[in-house]
Amino acid sequence: MNICDKSKCTACYTCYNICPKNCISFENDEYGIKFPVIDDTKCIECNLCVKTCPANNESNFNKPKNAYATWSLDNEDRKTSTSGGLASVLYNEVISKNGVVYGVCMDENFNLNFERATHKNDLYKFKGSKYVQASVNDKFKLVKDDLENNKNVLFIGTPCQIDGLKFYLKKEYSNLYTVDLICHGTPPIGYLKEYIEKIINEKNINPSKILFREDNEYAFILCKDSTQNKLYYKSGFCDEYIQGFLNSLFYRECCYSCKYATNQRVSDMTIGDFWGLGLKEPFNHPYTGAISLALVNTSKGQELLYKCKDKLFMEERSVEEAIEGNAQLNYPSNRHKNYDAFREKYKQYGFVKAANQCLTEELRIGYKKYRKILIRKKLRNMAGIFIKKYRD
Ligand SMILES: Cc1cc2nc3c(=O)[nH]c(=O)nc-3n(C[C@H](O)[C@H](O)[C@H](O)COP(=O)(O)OP(=O)(O)OC[C@H]3O[C@@H](n4cnc5c(N)ncnc54)[C@H](O)[C@@H]3O)c2cc1C
Ligand code: SF4
Ligand code: SF4
Ligand code: SF4
């Protein structure tokens, strides 16, 4: 039995959490993409999974009320976050009032799972965007327990994960705050792991941490424990994984028709990069770091953001500016022209070769751009040395 149309399945884990017999698990198909599988020997045909699946139902969307350009006032927060560090400020606020928070955490074997946290010391593990699909596992059940125990709960995830949680809970909880990330698609975890495995073998390194951005630039970085201990670096311009991710080559099928890629949102607050900042009216601030967008979709979202106002720089902007500047708030990602070729090659050769062969154009252009950047940097350094010498 299929719970929903395979092309619409987001792997949100709602069916997995709702099943009274625990008879749903996830297995990879021939393209390395995971889908729910029912153990017929345990299934009692109650149909709950089908009835609760967000892909089989109309979702409840909210119209954004306000938009803000924002960033954390804490330097360390910003340095260790992908965008302006807003997620970290929201987590800290809820934890400091004895609440419970949920986010994704990558372990040392590069598995990406949702985790629950109740202490400030655990928040570091949620930091940074991981450009790959996370597993919710049984966390919706834990969220429900926390809510029923009158805990304030903050859950941050992709829109399909937030919607999955809402369908699972079936009713509104005043103590639940949901925040969705603007999302253009997620690749299966197996692709990332295969790619890392290749690098580990080629370079004979033993990393336990990955970063996808540095100094506001895309990059593929492998480190040991702390980011000070870098073992591998490749600029995002020349990296197969980053290029495939940015150019929509290998997401789940559902991402290309994502019902959440719209200006109506399923959560209390939507966060992302403020790409269109300054499009409608000038943004006159000397700050040069990454800037977060906070789209406030409900009064609960507004209340949460307001509570954090002392920890954030915040400037109200028009909702139109925020939406116009961010493609994912308007329509789903378009498939890369080599999407079908990638899938066929994946079956034959695996991820690394398939990605490399399908991205020759992007990599050629990327290497060219990267070389130009390096030359410019070198010239700037030489000019600096010359000026210093001349002055001295
Ligand atoms: C797969 C993906 C695609 C994205 N696409 C866009 C985009 O097209 N446009 C845009 O404006 N912004 C996009 N973002 C959001 C953006 O990169 C930042 O994550 C967001 O602005 C929050 O940044 P921050 O500095 O507040 O917090 P950060 O510390 O950078 O982010 C941490 C938060 O993100 C969550 N998170 C990280 N990785 C994942 C994941 N794989 N799945 C679920 N939750 C995750 C963490 O649990 C935590 O809550 C994307 C994020 C992801 C994960
Ligand atoms: S509930 Fe989620 S994981 Fe289960 S079939 Fe539906 S979309 Fe897929
Ligand atoms: S029909 Fe009921 S028992 Fe069977 S898999 Fe779905 S939820 Fe579980
Ligand atoms: S693009 Fe849509 S379906 Fe794909 S991971 Fe993001 S929210 Fe989920």
Side-chain angles (χ1 to χ4, degrees):
M1 175 178 101
N2 273 345
I3 300 171
C4 71
D5 178 345
K6 196 178 169 197
S7 69
K8 300 266 181 287
C9 174
T10 61
C12 66
Y13 278 76
T14 309
C15 52
Y16 176 92
N17 279 271
I18 204 87
C19 175
K21 290 292 165 187
N22 291 327
C23 59
I24 298 177
S25 57
F26 282 81
E27 282 176 17
N28 286 350
D29 71 358
E30 70 264 46
Y31 303 108
I33 301 177
K34 69 176 174 185
F35 289 96
V37 176
I38 297 174
D39 178 348
D40 290 332
T41 61
K42 290 197 206 152
C43 173
I44 54 168
E45 294 179 15
C46 66
N47 224 24
L48 257 181
C49 51
V50 175
K51 279 193 274 187
T52 320
C53 170
N56 299 333
N57 289 283
E58 291 290 318
S59 300
N60 208 354
F61 288 98
N62 304 300
K63 196 167 182 270
K65 297 171 191 299
N66 304 90
Y68 298 87
T70 177
W71 58 80
S72 168
L73 294 175
D74 182 316
N75 286 342
E76 190 54 29
D77 243 3
R78 287 203 307 278
K79 231 168 70 194
T80 48
S81 300
T82 306
S83 189
L86 174 58
S88 174
V89 174
L90 300 175
Y91 280 141
N92 270 291
E93 167 59 27
V94 174
I95 289 257
S96 68
K97 306 273 163 55
N98 286 324
V100 181
V101 301
Y102 288 82
V104 307
C105 165
M106 190 164 258
D107 69 18
E108 66 282 6
N109 297 315
F110 305 103
N111 297 305
L112 189 64
N113 295 304
F114 270 82
E115 299 290 345
R116 174 182 186 272
T118 50
H119 295 287
K120 279 196 175 183
N121 293 348
D122 292 330
L123 293 180
Y124 73 92
K125 56 190 184 186
F126 296 153
K127 290 230 169 173
S129 299
K130 292 91 178 172
Y131 294 136
V132 66
Q133 185 165 43
S135 295
V136 169
N137 304 316
D138 63 350
K139 295 303 174 294
F140 292 167
K141 292 183 193 177
L142 302 194
V143 171
K144 189 169 182 183
D145 288 347
D146 285 328
L147 292 169
E148 300 284 340
N149 287 326
N150 292 323
K151 292 275 182 198
N152 278 342
V153 175
L154 168 62
F155 191 100
I156 305 184
T158 58
C160 53
Q161 290 156 348
I162 301 292
D163 205 26
L165 172 63
K166 293 203 152 185
F167 273 100
Y168 170 77
L169 293 173
K170 291 198 188 93
K171 64 171 198 176
E172 284 292 320
Y173 284 84
S174 59
N175 49 336
L176 172 66
Y177 298 87
T178 54
V179 173
D180 72 297
L181 304 168
I182 300 174
C183 174
H184 64 241
T186 47
I189 187 83
Y191 295 1
L192 177 69
K193 288 178 81 164
E194 195 186 317
Y195 189 57
I196 294 174
E197 195 65 38
K198 180 205 95 161
I199 299 169
I200 287 177
N201 289 335
E202 274 178 12
K203 306 283 174 197
N204 198 17
I205 52 175
N206 186 19
S208 52
K209 198 173 162 61
I210 184 166
L211 295 177
F212 294 98
R213 283 206 214 174
E214 188 179 58
D215 299 332
N216 215 7
E217 299 276 352
Y218 289 102
F220 197 94
I221 301 170
L222 295 171
C223 344
K224 188 82 199 149
D225 308 324
S226 91
T227 48
Q228 313 299 332
N229 199 349
K230 238 182 256 171
L231 303 175
Y232 177 85
Y233 172 93
K234 203 170 184 185
S235 156
F237 286 116
C238 323
D239 183 79
E240 287 94 324
Y241 189 85
I242 299 280
Q243 283 300 316
F245 175 73
L246 294 176
N247 290 293
S248 315
L249 179 63
F250 41 64
Y251 306 147
R252 280 183 81 83
E253 175 72 22
C254 59
C255 299
Y256 300 102
S257 59
C258 176
K259 67 171 164 173
Y260 310 104
T262 161
N263 57 19
Q264 310 276 309
R265 313 302 300 168
V266 287
S267 67
D268 295 310
M269 193 192 302
T270 298
I271 64 175
D273 299 304
F274 207 139
W275 293 123
L277 187 60
L279 268 182
K280 294 264 177 198
E281 50 189 294
F283 181 70
N284 294 323
H285 202 283
Y287 174 74
T288 53
I291 299 179
S292 288
L293 161 67
L295 267 184
V296 171
N297 310 318
T298 66
S299 46
K300 254 199 283 175
Q302 188 73 67
E303 175 209 328
L304 178 60
L305 195 63
Y306 186 74
K307 282 183 184 158
C308 302
K309 68 180 189 329
D310 296 340
K311 306 279 185 320
L312 292 168
F313 167 90
M314 265 202 285
E315 183 173 301
E316 186 159 4
R317 307 291 298 179
S318 74
V319 172
E320 292 71 33
E321 178 182 53
I323 288 170
E324 257 179 52
N326 205 315
Q328 264 54 50
L329 295 174
N330 292 284
Y331 45 80
S333 295
N334 284 322
R335 280 182 180 77
H336 188 283
K337 66 177 189 316
N338 290 338
Y339 171 80
D340 290 330
F342 170 82
R343 281 163 67 91
E344 280 318 301
K345 285 177 193 287
Y346 174 84
K347 278 200 289 185
Q348 268 182 288
Y349 312 118
F351 173 76
V352 173
K353 207 166 172 183
N356 193 280
Q357 291 188 359
C358 292
L359 290 163
T360 44
E361 214 175 305
E362 286 80 3
L363 292 172
R364 187 180 52 78
I365 297 169
Y367 272 107
K368 240 181 175 173
K369 277 189 191 156
Y370 187 54
R371 262 197 301 271
K372 271 190 191 157
I373 291 172
L374 285 184
I375 291 170
R376 232 180 283 140
K377 265 190 191 162
K378 229 179 187 169
L379 288 176
R380 229 179 285 137
N381 282 348
M382 277 162 62
I385 293 168
F386 179 77
I387 291 169
K388 191 168 178 288
K389 235 180 175 176
Y390 182 73
R391 262 209 222 111
D392 294 347

